[in-house]
Amino acid sequence: MSLPTAVKELIGCLGLIPHPEGGFFVETFRSGCEPMSTRGQSGYECKPKDLVETGRRHRPDKDGRRNCLTSIYWVPTLRSPRLLLAYNDSDHVHYFQGGRPFRYTLFDPVTKEYHQEILGPDIKSGHKMQVCVRGGVWKCGAIIHEELDAHGDGPTGNFEYCLIGEAVAPGFDFHDFNWVTAKLLNETVKDKEQVKYLAQFVHEQATEIEEENKTVDEAQAFYEENEVKDRRVDERS
């Protein structure tokens, strides 16, 4: 069976739910744990071989162990096309799985390197089938809308989304995740054009979430079955 072009059909096929950074997702693998069972946090009900010590002390319990590897499907859509500006301590590898291409913008706050990569199928035009992001590098992006020909049926067809596979090692934990605030952006990035571009991807509540240390609590709400989730599904698909 080929990929459906409609987001709502894909949601049903893959069991997707709204993601805090935009679009939809589902966790497909977590070393030693049932996917989705830990709600984006490290799971310790597993064998020692499934855990790696990172030395991080971000969790309230100060446990630096993380599941060795996690993987998700992440799906930005035409109605929720953006990845908001954030960074994670772990390395990420993004895999193009289908649909429209997606443009990543990356900024290293240490080296000040700024560049863009397009995750997509047209490798002759410079698209990448994989985009690798080191831990600590800022990341944001958006679906590319212009990839259709004059008849609306170019190489990405009529897809309403981009289907991305994302592997994280050491495994993802929301305690290792941070939103980039407007203040941090302006203090760190010196190029005015880069600041202007990145500013459009800053989470509108980033300052409040970071200052009040609400990142994990805010993320947990996305796993709840309620009217808010249903509204997000409708708004994004």
Side-chain angles (χ1 to χ4, degrees):
M1 175 181 174
S2 58
L3 286 174
T5 57
V7 177
K8 288 188 176 180
E9 189 173 353
L10 188 73
I11 290 171
C13 290
L14 297 181
L16 303 168
I17 65 172
H19 191 279
E21 293 177 85
F24 295 87
F25 87 107
V26 64
E27 187 176 80
T28 58
F29 181 81
R30 179 174 289 272
S31 296
C33 298
E34 186 70 22
M36 297 291 281
S37 65
T38 66
R39 295 189 167 199
Q41 300 186 50
S42 300
Y44 299 124
E45 299 297 321
C46 58
K47 297 177 181 179
K49 70 178 182 64
D50 293 312
L51 296 168
V52 59
E53 176 58 55
T54 66
R56 301 170 188 167
R57 297 295 179 259
H58 307 319
R59 293 172 54 92
D61 57 14
K62 306 304 180 185
D63 198 325
R65 294 175 300 164
R66 300 291 184 267
N67 301 103
C68 294
L69 178 72
T70 57
S71 184
I72 67 171
Y73 286 124
W74 181 60
V75 183
T77 71
L78 291 180
R79 297 182 67 180
S80 181
R82 298 187 305 158
L83 174 69
L84 298 177
L85 186 61
Y87 64 93
N88 191 290
D89 290 342
S90 293
D91 296 342
H92 286 51
V93 182
H94 310 81
Y95 304 90
F96 180 75
Q97 310 260 240
R100 292 173 179 263
F102 187 89
R103 177 181 285 108
Y104 283 98
T105 300
L106 308 172
F107 176 78
D108 188 325
V110 177
T111 66
K112 310 303 181 185
E113 180 184 358
Y114 172 97
H115 71 286
Q116 295 183 328
E117 301 275 9
I118 296 178
L119 187 73
D122 191 356
I123 57 177
K124 290 184 178 180
S125 297
H127 292 188
K128 303 288 184 64
M129 299 294 287
Q130 299 181 10
V131 171
C132 304
V133 181
R134 292 287 187 183
V137 171
W138 297 4
K139 178 179 68 172
C140 62
I143 276 186
I144 296 176
H145 288 243
E146 312 80 56
E147 293 297 313
L148 301 178
D149 63 22
H151 303 289
D153 56 1
T156 58
N158 293 312
F159 285 102
E160 298 175 353
Y161 60 85
C162 177
L163 177 58
I164 299 172
E166 185 172 327
V168 182
F172 186 88
D173 188 315
F174 273 112
H175 293 92
D176 301 329
F177 173 92
N178 294 274
W179 296 109
V180 175
T181 64
K183 179 181 178 183
L184 182 58
L185 172 62
N186 284 282
E187 289 177 346
T188 308
V189 183
K190 303 307 178 185
D191 185 291
K192 292 183 179 179
E193 289 303 313
Q194 293 176 8
V195 171
K196 182 179 179 180
Y197 183 82
L198 292 172
Q200 66 184 313
F201 295 97
V202 173
H203 191 308
E204 60 183 11
Q205 295 179 306
T207 299
E208 176 187 347
I209 294 171
E210 288 296 316
E211 288 182 351
E212 298 182 15
N213 196 26
K214 298 195 303 184
T215 300
V216 177
D217 290 341
E218 290 280 332
Q220 296 311 295
F222 280 77
Y223 292 85
E224 301 295 336
E225 294 287 345
N226 52 34
E227 292 181 1
V228 175
K229 176 185 174 183
D230 293 340
R231 186 177 70 248
R232 288 185 176 125
V233 170
D234 290 339
E235 290 173 348
R236 299 180 183 196
S237 60

